[in-house]
Amino acid sequence: MKVVYLLNIFPKISETFILNEMIQMQNKGVQVEVYAHEKVPEAVVHSQVSRIQEVRYFPKMSLFRALAAHAYWLFHRPMGYLRAWSLVIAHGSKIRKQFFLGLYDTVLIHQRNPDHVHAHYGDDSSNLAMLYSVLSG
């Protein structure tokens, strides 16, 4: 099983509980991959961070990437793309921003072919997980 964790920042010393959870998942044979929007250079980093083998950071958004992502979903999963549009209409500005500017991130997640996508907080990472779920089915 492959689980992708979506985080705004990784590693973050104050989120040791998330790191511990990921390590326990790995210990149970689950392949854990982390995607984060930014890496904060903290003076103190938890000693167990190096046990997470797959850590990726989303690239900065560009207009080309945004357009390419919309084309990708429109042609690969048109019904998912339409459902995502309805989600954007129903849920307002936060998800709208994620849809128009962050859709490329969902393509990167989709290319990893995860069995599950997980976000801990009700922030941009959870909006991204919800969008990915709707788009990918």
Side-chain angles (χ1 to χ4, degrees):
M1 178 176 205
K2 183 189 298 185
V3 175
V4 170
Y5 276 77
L6 300 179
L7 301 166
N8 282 341
I9 300 170
F10 186 83
K12 192 169 183 180
I13 194 73
S14 63
E15 296 177 357
T16 303
F17 71 98
I18 298 173
L19 178 63
N20 289 338
E21 178 183 303
M22 291 187 289
I23 290 169
Q24 288 303 313
M25 296 284 282
Q26 286 183 160
N27 290 343
K28 293 183 183 302
V30 174
Q31 183 180 347
V32 171
E33 296 183 8
V34 174
Y35 265 103
H37 283 98
E38 58 184 295
K39 180 178 184 178
V40 175
E42 293 191 348
V44 178
V45 176
H46 196 287
S47 63
Q48 299 294 315
V49 166
S50 61
R51 293 187 58 191
I52 305 301
Q53 297 165 355
E54 298 287 338
V55 179
R56 293 179 172 79
Y57 294 93
F58 292 117
K60 296 294 181 196
M61 186 43 55
S62 70
L63 180 59
F64 174 77
R65 286 183 178 137
L67 293 173
H70 283 269
Y72 175 87
W73 287 113
L74 183 59
F75 291 108
H76 285 86
R77 303 259 322 163
M79 291 308 294
Y81 188 78
L82 292 175
R83 281 192 296 274
W85 261 107
S86 68
L87 183 72
V88 168
I89 292 166
H91 284 82
S93 64
K94 273 289 200 176
I95 196 77
R96 186 177 308 127
K97 177 186 170 197
Q98 198 81 36
F99 181 73
F100 289 114
L101 299 177
L103 210 62
Y104 185 75
D105 298 346
T106 63
V107 173
L108 296 176
I109 295 165
H110 193 63
Q111 290 172 342
R112 301 304 302 162
N113 195 27
D115 296 301
H116 181 76
V117 175
H118 182 74
H120 266 280
Y121 298 112
D123 55 15
D124 288 344
S125 58
S126 62
N127 287 337
L128 185 61
M130 180 172 54
L131 256 180
Y132 176 72
S133 177
V134 169
L135 287 162
S136 67

